[in-house]
Structures are given as C-alpha cells and as structure tokens.
Amino acid sequence: MGKPILAICDRHPGYTNQLIALFQEKKELPFEIYGFTKNDSLQEFCGEHEIALLIISEPDYREELQKKAIDRILVLQEGTGTLPENVAVVNKFQPAGALYREIMRAYGEGEKVVPLRGSRKEKFQMIGIYSPLHCCMQTTFTLTAGQLLARKKKVLYINFECFSGFEMLLGKRFGGNLTDVLYYYDNAGDKFSYRLESIVQKMGDLYFIPPAASFEDFQDLKEEEWIPILTRIAKSGGYETILLDLTEQVRGVYSLLEDCDKIYTLIRDDRMAKAKLAQYELLLEQEEHRKILEKTEKCRLPVFKNLSFQLENLSHSELADYVEKQLTEDGLL
C-alpha cells in the first residue's frame, strides 16, 4: 500500500509549484504529493486514486468533488464567489508559513487524519538555559544559540517567561501558543501533530512555540508531566534539539534541568549577582540536585558594543561569536 495522497489544484502553475515545494519541505508530512493546473486532469486522477487531502483553489472547486474518494477537501478562498457552508476554506492570500499553519489547523479539524511520520530518532537532545539572576540576557542568549544550532539540525525553542513580549518584539499576533499545545496534548489524540504544526512558528531556521499569554497556564502542571509532553512534541515535529528558556514559574524546574543534556547559566560579577548564584548552588547541593551542577556551564557575557535586539538577526552579532565559540567547545556545534 502506497503513501496517502495530497493533491493540489490551482490553475496557475507557479502557485501550484510553490505550494508543492512548501509541503515537500515538511519532512514529517506522510503524503505523496501531486499537483494539477486543470480541473479535468484532477477529475480523471480522482477516478483512479483515493485522496487523503485535496487543496483546491476556489475557481477550480466543483460540487461533484464531494462524491469522489477524497477524505478531506480544503478550498483556497479567493473571495470571488459563494461556497457552500459545509466546505472547509482557508484564505489563499497570506504568507506561505501562515497558509501552511492554517491548512494544518483546518485539516486537523477533520474526522479522519493521516498520522504524521514524526521523528525516527529514539532520543532528542534537550538543552536548558536557566539563571537565578534576572535581566541577564538569558532569552537573547538562548535565541542566539537556537539560531546557530538550527543551521545544522531541526531545533525548537520554548520560552517559559511570565511576560515574554514576543508579540510586541516580532510585531505580530499568534494564532496559538504554549497553552494551546498543552490543551491539545490532553485532548487532540491522533490529531495532536497537526495541531502542533498549526501553532509552531519560525524565526529564520529556528522553530518556536509562541509563549503562553500567562505563566499561570502552565504553573500548575505536575513536574512529572513535562518530559512526556516534550517527548511527544519532539517526536511529532521531528525536532532533534529542544531549547528550554526556563524560569522559576515552571513547576518542577529542577526535574526538567536534571533531564537536560546540557545546561547554561548566565552569571555576573557584581556582589548581588554572586550572592544569588551562591544561594542557588547551595540549594542544589542541599536538595541533592548535584546532577544539575555537573551539567551546568556558567557563562559570563562580555560587554558588547554593537548588540542587535532584532530577534530574527541574533545569529549575526558579537553575541553570536561568543555563543558559537561556547557551543563549539561543548561539542554542540
């Protein structure tokens, strides 16, 4: 039995080819992809094959397609006509990444979905970044590391701050966030992978889950629940590395750190910073979290003259040079 079929039909060859290329980039998608620019060719193909998902432009949609062996039809709406209420639609005129997420969301709402391939790796790498100090450039450091690592592997960044400010910094609103991912983990069943795909965003080559609007949305999650959740996220998305930008708001933060393969802690030389770090390390010793100390690399950032705070361009900065050297020394690059 062959792979399930994803068919794309749009009368403009350039658009059809762009959409095919978009889906071919997604290695986790289980489909064999076919493109059509003529409705007659699509109709003939449907007479000989079963189609798991058909994505078709509004002018090319025909009512008789509902009678074909097609599990799910999504219409690329152009606003040129009136479609039946029972037809699933997505807006055709939006950026490629947004269109892909919208298609994954709409497809995941169907009664029948094809499971994603997920990761073939038995284990993914988990890197934790946590410091008892605040305002120490932890998030900037983590995003820089993520963008550098993403040049060679598929990396996912997850932020656990109280108020990340990502929407303001990136100048965009997100259709879903970490809160939704946690909800779908409990409720979406086999559709979880498609729900996840509809939420995950990209910053250059780095994937990220938009942070929760409020830390209270995950504060009460039991500490033993985090690793199964992160494991399912990694396998569903085929992520080789997950970067955790951690805070004290995460219940079980020490358990998470213990499960990390590597930990980075940012430090400073002022008296207050040293006192906080000393108290943190004493607590780890007293609570028998020595494994955290053994895995931790303490990073004292130098003073940077020209530091860009454009999140998409952090891999081209003085900080990137510092982080790249550190990751190379640790065998991560």
Side-chain angles (χ1 to χ4, degrees), residues 291-314:
K291 286 173 60 178
I292 295 176
L293 292 172
E294 293 168 4
K295 298 177 184 180
T296 296
E297 187 74 40
K298 290 186 280 191
C299 298
R300 183 182 292 102
L301 299 183
V303 177
F304 300 108
K305 295 179 181 179
N306 298 302
L307 183 62
S308 171
F309 285 96
Q310 291 185 323
L311 300 189
E312 304 94 327
N313 300 316
L314 291 173

Side-chain angles (χ1 to χ4, degrees), residues 11-197:
R11 60 188 60 187
H12 299 100
Y15 185 86
T16 300
N17 291 333
Q18 287 177 3
L19 206 52
I20 290 173
L22 174 66
F23 282 97
Q24 286 177 336
E25 289 177 2
K26 311 297 181 180
K27 304 300 183 183
E28 289 71 42
L29 292 181
F31 302 109
E32 188 173 348
I33 304 172
Y34 292 84
F36 302 89
T37 56
K38 295 181 180 179
N39 190 279
D40 292 342
S41 300
L42 172 64
Q43 295 274 2
E44 183 179 345
F45 184 84
C46 290
E48 301 173 357
H49 302 82
E50 291 185 8
I51 297 177
L53 172 61
L54 170 62
I55 302 171
I56 186 167
S57 62
E58 185 175 347
D60 294 301
Y61 173 76
R62 302 288 184 272
E63 194 71 34
E64 58 262 29
L65 287 170
Q66 297 287 349
K67 300 176 183 179
K68 302 292 185 179
I70 305 173
D71 291 336
R72 184 76 164 151
I73 300 176
L74 299 180
V75 178
L76 298 170
Q77 191 171 33
E78 301 179 10
T80 57
T82 303
L83 291 164
E85 291 184 0
N86 63 335
V87 174
V89 300
V90 295
N91 178 19
K92 179 179 179 179
F93 303 113
Q94 54 183 317
L99 176 62
Y100 172 76
R101 289 189 293 272
E102 185 69 9
I103 289 172
M104 291 297 98
R105 180 198 61 76
Y107 179 61
E109 291 176 351
E111 294 182 6
K112 182 179 178 181
V113 297
V114 180
L116 267 68
R117 292 196 192 103
S119 174
R120 295 178 182 175
K121 294 180 178 294
E122 291 297 320
K123 182 172 172 56
F124 61 98
Q125 183 183 54
M126 198 161 71
I127 301 174
I129 297 85
Y130 170 76
S131 175
L133 315 181
H134 296 281
C135 298
C136 60
M137 295 179 60
Q138 176 174 308
T139 293
T140 309
F141 176 95
T142 311
L143 287 172
T144 303
Q147 291 176 23
L148 292 170
L149 291 168
R151 292 174 177 174
K152 296 184 178 181
K153 58 183 74 175
K154 191 171 184 181
V155 182
L156 178 70
Y157 166 85
I158 304 178
N159 181 290
F160 294 91
E161 286 183 286
C162 293
F163 304 104
S164 69
F166 265 43
E167 290 190 337
M168 289 70 180
L169 290 168
L170 294 174
K172 61 190 296 186
R173 296 298 299 272
F174 302 120
N177 58 36
L178 181 59
T179 304
D180 299 297
V181 172
L182 298 177
Y183 173 80
Y184 291 136
Y185 174 81
D186 286 329
N187 298 284
D190 292 339
K191 300 177 182 179
F192 174 77
S193 296
Y194 290 99
R195 298 294 194 180
L196 179 65
E197 286 288 293

Side-chain angles (χ1 to χ4, degrees), residues 130 253-260 262-265 280 284 288-297:
Y130 170 76
V253 64
Y254 297 135
S255 295
L256 266 177
L257 288 170
E258 285 190 340
D259 278 301
C260 287
K262 186 69 180 178
I263 302 165
Y264 289 100
T265 294
Y280 165 66
L284 294 181
E288 297 186 355
H289 291 300
R290 296 182 185 87
K291 286 173 60 178
I292 295 176
L293 292 172
E294 293 168 4
K295 298 177 184 180
T296 296
E297 187 74 40

